Amino acid sequence: MNKTDLDILSHLQSDGRLTNVALAEEIHLSPSPCLRRVKQLEDSGVIEGYHARIDRQKAGFSMTVFVEVRLKSHAGDKHIVFENAILEMEDIISAHLVSGIADYRLEVVAVDLQDYERILKALQSLPHVKDIQSHFAIRSVKTAAPLPLKRMS
């Protein structure tokens, strides 16, 4: 990736709704080569998609919970079974295999405590789960930050 590609990504991170003409003007390219570069970034998977950033509170999700999960065993494909199960749970908005005591750290959104209890029971019923710890976010300080692309150039 060169500087022009990084400029494209930086502008699209800030405003994914930029028209090709506006983007081309911002990065000092003509529209045709700009569109070609964006298409290449999409085709190569660097740009995974375009999404609206939704305010969780205003959408009715008053709770964010970080859930640490330990599995009973790592033998065989037990972790794959667990991962496939959490991929199907729409309340889990991010999931990471982590180092340390926990095996996974999940980010969960819930409408309220009763809704989180429903989610927790679903997590507890998943195969191979040994232990779950919940950490309730009191207040969000930084979410959905853009990637620090300037460091890459």
Side-chain angles (χ1 to χ4, degrees):
M1 243 186 311
N2 63 24
K3 184 184 178 328
T4 303
D5 293 331
L6 292 171
D7 285 347
I8 289 170
L9 294 173
S10 181
H11 282 85
L12 288 177
Q13 264 191 146
S14 296
D15 183 1
R17 296 181 71 177
L18 267 178
T19 65
N20 183 60
V21 172
L23 177 60
E25 286 176 10
E26 289 286 336
I27 63 167
H28 309 292
L29 267 184
S30 59
S32 220
C34 180
L35 186 59
R36 250 191 323 274
R37 283 180 177 262
V38 170
K39 182 82 172 111
Q40 287 172 342
L41 291 166
E42 292 169 347
D43 291 345
S44 67
V46 174
I47 296 175
E48 295 179 333
Y50 301 89
H51 312 279
R53 192 171 18 211
I54 300 170
D55 183 294
R56 295 175 190 189
Q57 295 283 328
K58 291 178 182 172
F61 296 97
S62 65
M63 298 184 75
T64 299
V65 185
F66 297 96
V67 180
E68 293 180 348
V69 179
R70 286 178 38 194
L71 300 183
K72 293 175 186 171
S73 170
H74 297 276
D77 64 350
K78 291 181 175 155
H79 67 286
I80 295 171
V81 172
F82 173 78
E83 289 177 7
N84 287 336
I86 63 172
L87 286 172
E88 297 300 317
M89 297 178 70
E90 65 180 13
D91 303 299
I92 299 171
I93 60 170
S94 72
H96 305 273
L97 176 65
V98 296
S99 62
I101 295 172
D103 297 310
Y104 292 88
R105 184 169 185 111
L106 314 176
E107 184 177 1
V108 174
V109 292
V111 174
D112 54 23
L113 197 53
Q114 185 177 356
D115 188 36
Y116 180 65
E117 182 181 14
R118 174 192 59 80
I119 298 163
L120 180 61
K121 286 178 181 177
L123 285 169
Q124 290 169 330
S125 72
L126 293 179
H128 315 299
V129 171
K130 177 181 181 180
D131 185 45
I132 294 175
Q133 285 203 335
S134 301
H135 304 273
F136 293 86
I138 305 301
R139 176 172 49 93
S140 294
V141 177
K142 184 177 184 178
T143 60
L147 294 174
L149 296 172
K150 290 179 180 159
R151 290 190 309 130
M152 302 305 291
S153 54

